[in-house]
Amino acid sequence: EARGARLVFSVADNGIGLAPHERGKNESFGLIGMAQRVAALGGSFEVGPYVPGGGCKLTLGFELPEAG
């Protein structure tokens, strides 16, 4: 969705969730890589709040270039 001059993309699943203490383990290198690539493009990357059994939500945001 476009929010003013920003593009925001969210994706969620209905899995078991991703506990904060699990995010630094070997299984989460995919998230680390995603966060690094988004940061390299000047964007923001957020993992939604942890709710046991409530799935996982990732949100990426990027500034849109001015038209012209």
Side-chain angles (χ1 to χ4, degrees):
E1 99 183 61
R3 295 182 187 168
R6 197 159 171 77
L7 177 65
V8 179
F9 174 79
S10 293
V11 63
D13 67 17
N14 61 353
I16 62 171
L18 186 58
H21 68 274
E22 294 290 327
R23 294 179 192 168
K25 293 188 176 182
N26 291 338
E27 295 85 20
S28 68
F29 280 129
L31 291 176
I32 293 168
M34 288 173 65
Q36 290 173 341
R37 287 190 281 284
V38 169
L41 294 170
S44 62
F45 178 81
E46 177 184 316
V47 178
Y50 174 61
V51 177
C56 182
K57 181 178 180 181
L58 306 177
T59 302
L60 293 74
F62 297 94
E63 295 298 321
L64 295 171
E66 292 186 30

